[in-house]
Amino acid sequence: MNQVYDPLHHKYRPQRFDQLVGQETIATILSNAILYNRIAPAYLFSGPHGTGKTSSARILARSLNCLVHDKATTIPCGTCELCISIALGNALDVIEIDAASNTGVDNIRSVIEKSRFYPVQARWKVYVIDECHMLSTSAFNALLKTLEEPPPRVIFILATTTPYRIPPTIISRCQRFDFHCISLSIIRDHLRFIAQSEKIDITSQALQLVSQTAQGSLRDAESLLDQLSLLPSPIGINAVSNLLGIVPEVEMLDFVSSLVTLKPLVILETCRSLLDRGREAISLLTGVTAILRDMIILTVAPERPELTSISDESWSRLIALTNETSLQRLLKWQNQLKSSEVDLRQSAQPRLRLEVILLSLLTEVDYQPSHTTKLPYGLKQKTKNSKAVNIDPILVTESPVSSFKQGVSEIINNAQELSRLWNEILATFDLPSTRLLLAQQAHLVQVDGSKVTIKVSENWIATLRSRLPLLENAIQNVLNTPKELVLISVNSKLKSQSIPQYSVPFVINDVSVPNISLAHNNSNQNTGFLALSINDIISSGSPIKFKGSSNLRPKQDEELKSLANFFNGEIILDPDEEIS
């Protein structure tokens, strides 16, 4: 018959107090209590799972009852009949009770009745009530008197992971020992000892990851190592990651690098790749949070690498990644992610929720895409003056540089950049006639740290000089800094075809610019209105009144109304004037 396999967490369970891992203070107190014969009638062992509560209770029972010694000892033999039966959990005088299965008051009354009998084989009768917080209120009340004044040679040991659920009257009658989480280094060293003893070929990085995953529980770490021992040697970090479904550290650093360098497409592609490989969304979010935490620690305390959870092999890369960002950005990201885990766990679509959470981190920085977007017909865009602007289906290329309103300190002479900046300046003018004049008869040629150079048609430069204060204010509003304005005249008029490719046509109040020719002459042949120079219109600076006759032809009347509407003016009819 084959021998039953003994799991690692059973095989390496401590048998004496000096073998208790990570709980030295508790081991010292209980050992001295045995040496000085100061055994309390009731103990309360509380703390996270897998930290040694039940093991300590069994060690205490063996130390009190070892048959090799005539009295209680801190070094039980572990080979006598009673030590073996206690280790197996079937000793007659050491009774382990699962409170989750015995919650009622009748179960506790049965325990109290049996505790009145003297031990059969051992010197002390020990009751270990595991998960005692599951007992009912009536059961706790029935146990009160027995805990305070138990029969001779009887000890009660209560173990729980949630001590706040135990009535204070019970806690006050027990000596309480709080078992804390075992440190990462202690778990890693203990696992290395087991791996060497069992001849398990596992790398240091894999042991580090197993220790981190255990979260202070030695039993969980030993169980995970037991699973990994069935894999082919050598056992690396990828094997641990695949078993646990977590993202490897190298891939996690690659992912955070795309976040730091503001690459949303890479973020989405990496998310999809990891999730398609079976990784949990919550695991990816936790990995991002952990890396950002390590980067903050590296920023504020570079001489304390032991505070981080990063491996030694990835330490230099983490330093390079941290140098690419700022502490303020890292703190903002951590603040955004602090409540995201709860939202992600409750989300019906964790994949979508994870992508939204990670992409929202980019809103805290000045990100501008570098690709080209084609806008559809009929799209309306609000200008600074909240007036609708129809945008034709032209290509609008976004700049990777921040907005012009951040200030311009370098020389800008690229045609595309200048065209976009010029359109921003034109959009700040309230008077549509001024915008039309500047769009057709002038354009921006250069911007540097101290001045702005504009090229203007020679016939219109005098008109533009009369509007210099308005133009200077518009430039200052867009560039966020005062600039010297330099006008350069050219010999011939700039045609509308010379407008840069990226300029945006303006439509005022959804009314198109009227297609009416304005001739600077003194005749009014079949015009239906007094001829007027557009130069006079623009330079006047006040609403224009177009004078015409009351006997306008229908087509002329419509054109005149359209022209007056465009220049924000009005029509004054003269009933005495006749049209020839």
Side-chain angles (χ1 to χ4, degrees):
M1 181 178 178
N2 294 331
Q3 186 178 0
V4 178
Y5 175 71
D6 194 13
L8 292 182
H9 68 279
H10 285 169
K11 185 176 181 179
Y12 289 91
R13 172 174 282 174
Q15 305 298 319
R16 303 194 305 261
F17 282 119
D18 57 355
Q19 296 177 354
L20 192 62
V21 178
Q23 310 292 347
E24 289 77 11
T25 302
I26 296 175
T28 301
I29 294 176
L30 293 178
S31 297
N32 290 336
I34 295 173
L35 291 176
Y36 301 133
N37 196 23
R38 295 170 58 179
I39 306 301
Y43 294 93
L44 175 62
F45 293 167
S46 63
H49 67 277
T51 53
K53 299 185 296 296
T54 306
S55 297
S56 297
R58 291 183 177 181
I59 293 173
L60 181 59
R62 273 199 304 270
S63 297
L64 294 173
N65 298 308
C66 182
L67 298 178
V68 175
H69 299 84
D70 297 333
K71 59 179 181 179
T73 178
T74 58
I75 308 177
C77 67
T79 57
C80 67
E81 180 183 356
L82 194 54
C83 286
I84 294 175
S85 61
I86 291 174
L88 296 176
N90 54 18
L92 294 176
D93 297 317
V94 179
I95 301 97
E96 295 187 18
I97 301 172
D98 180 18
S101 304
N102 301 274
T103 60
V105 63
D106 293 336
N107 303 110
I108 296 301
R109 284 174 179 169
S110 175
V111 171
I112 294 173
E113 290 295 329
K114 293 178 181 179
S115 67
R116 301 181 184 277
F117 298 99
Y118 279 90
V120 176
Q121 185 181 10
R123 289 186 291 267
W124 293 79
K125 180 175 284 189
V126 180
Y127 286 91
V128 181
I129 305 178
D130 199 10
E131 301 298 331
C132 63
H133 60 273
M134 300 295 294
L135 293 176
S136 64
T137 303
S138 299
F140 275 125
N141 292 334
L143 195 59
L144 280 175
K145 188 63 176 177
T146 305
L147 290 180
E148 187 172 6
E149 297 178 0
R153 299 288 177 172
V154 175
I155 298 175
F156 286 90
I157 302 177
L158 282 64
T160 179
T161 56
T162 54
Y164 59 87
R165 296 177 58 182
I166 300 177
T169 51
I170 295 291
I171 297 178
S172 65
R173 287 165 169 79
C174 302
Q175 283 192 9
R176 178 174 175 175
F177 292 89
D178 291 323
F179 288 70
H180 56 77
C181 292
I182 304 174
S183 67
L184 178 65
S185 59
I186 293 178
I187 293 179
R188 184 180 62 245
D189 293 342
H190 186 70
L191 293 181
R192 184 177 291 109
F193 165 75
I194 295 177
Q196 293 175 354
S197 302
E198 298 293 325
K199 294 181 174 53
I200 302 174
D201 188 6
I202 184 171
T203 63
S204 299
Q205 296 87 344
L207 285 178
Q208 176 78 10
L209 183 56
V210 171
S211 304
Q212 292 176 359
T213 306
Q215 296 291 319
S217 174
L218 184 62
R219 183 177 65 231
D220 291 352
E222 291 173 341
S223 298
L224 183 55
L225 180 62
D226 200 1
Q227 290 179 272
L228 293 171
S229 63
L230 300 175
L231 293 174
S233 299
I235 303 170
I237 192 170
N238 289 332
V240 181
S241 301
N242 292 331
L243 177 62
L244 299 177
I246 61 178
V247 183
E249 187 177 77
V250 176
E251 294 186 42
M252 204 69 256
L253 287 173
D254 292 337
F255 185 81
V256 176
S257 176
S258 64
L259 185 65
V260 171
T261 54
L262 309 180
K263 297 178 179 178
L265 181 59
V266 178
I267 293 175
L268 292 175
E269 291 175 345
T270 307
C271 276
R272 178 157 300 185
S273 174
L274 292 173
L275 295 177
D276 289 343
R277 285 161 47 194
R279 300 297 187 259
E280 294 289 339
I282 192 65
S283 177
L284 181 56
L285 182 64
T286 303
V288 172
T289 307
I291 294 295
L292 294 179
R293 186 275 318 271
D294 291 343
M295 294 172 67
I296 293 175
I297 294 176
L298 180 58
T299 303
V300 299
E303 72 284 353
R304 299 292 301 278
E306 71 277 4
L307 297 178
T308 66
S309 58
I310 204 74
S311 64
D312 296 337
E313 291 74 13
S314 302
W315 179 250
S316 58
R317 185 177 180 189
L318 184 68
I319 294 176
L321 193 60
T322 305
N323 292 333
E324 297 181 14
T325 185
S326 63
L327 178 61
Q328 183 180 9
R329 182 189 294 181
L330 294 174
L331 292 175
K332 284 183 178 180
W333 284 347
Q334 285 282 37
N335 183 57
Q336 287 181 266
L337 294 176
K338 65 181 181 182
S339 60
S340 300
E341 183 176 348
V342 178
D343 296 341
L344 188 60
R345 291 185 184 277
Q346 297 176 350
S347 176
Q349 295 181 325
R351 178 190 294 257
L352 176 61
R353 183 61 180 170
L354 176 65
E355 293 176 351
V356 171
I357 290 173
L358 295 175
L359 290 178
S360 65
L361 299 180
L362 301 182
T363 61
E364 296 295 326
V365 294
D366 295 328
Y367 169 74
Q368 294 289 341
S370 58
H371 60 276
T372 300
T373 306
K374 188 171 184 179
L375 302 178
Y377 284 96
L379 181 65
K380 292 188 177 182
Q381 175 177 312
K382 291 292 184 178
T383 64
K384 184 177 179 180
N385 303 318
S386 299
K387 296 183 178 180
V389 175
N390 284 343
I391 300 181
D392 285 344
I394 58 175
L395 293 179
V396 181
T397 305
E398 297 288 348
S399 171
V401 187
S402 300
S403 174
F404 290 113
K405 293 190 177 182
Q406 300 295 329
V408 177
S409 59
E410 70 279 359
I411 298 177
I412 300 178
N413 50 23
N414 179 270
Q416 181 176 332
E417 299 293 331
L418 291 172
S419 174
R420 181 165 42 256
L421 178 57
W422 184 236
N423 287 326
E424 291 189 25
I425 296 174
L426 295 181
T428 62
F429 288 96
D430 294 329
L431 194 61
S433 56
T434 303
R435 287 204 299 269
L436 181 62
L437 169 66
L438 293 174
Q440 293 183 345
Q441 304 298 335
H443 68 269
L444 195 61
V445 294
Q446 183 173 331
V447 177
D448 57 23
S450 60
K451 63 182 178 180
V452 175
T453 305
I454 300 176
K455 185 178 291 187
V456 188
S457 177
E458 183 177 3
N459 296 337
W460 296 92
I461 193 168
T463 302
L464 189 57
R465 284 200 179 102
S466 64
R467 316 297 290 175
L468 279 182
L470 294 177
L471 184 56
E472 290 175 349
N473 291 335
I475 293 174
Q476 182 173 350
N477 290 336
V478 173
L479 298 181
N480 202 26
T481 179
K483 298 283 186 181
E484 179 186 356
L485 184 58
V486 178
L487 301 180
I488 302 177
S489 64
V490 293
N491 294 330
S492 59
K493 287 187 176 182
L494 298 173
K495 302 299 181 182
S496 58
Q497 290 79 2
S498 64
I499 298 176
Q501 179 185 357
Y502 299 94
S503 62
V504 180
F506 296 100
V507 174
I508 310 304
N509 296 328
D510 295 332
V511 179
S512 302
V513 178
N515 186 17
I516 299 176
S517 301
L518 295 180
H520 186 52
N521 52 48
N522 296 325
S523 63
N524 55 359
Q525 298 176 357
N526 298 328
T527 59
F529 54 86
L530 295 179
L532 185 64
S533 169
I534 195 172
N535 189 358
D536 301 330
I537 295 174
I538 296 175
S539 61
S540 64
S542 59
I544 304 301
K545 298 180 180 181
F546 297 92
K547 185 177 180 181
S549 68
S550 59
N551 299 322
L552 293 176
R553 297 171 185 172
K555 182 177 180 181
Q556 295 170 339
D557 189 15
E558 189 65 28
E559 291 179 349
L560 187 59
K561 289 180 181 179
S562 179
L563 180 64
N565 185 33
F566 174 70
F567 286 108
N568 197 24
E570 59 179 303
I571 300 175
I572 301 177
L573 297 179
D574 188 356
D576 297 332
E577 184 174 349
E578 297 293 336
I579 299 179
S580 59

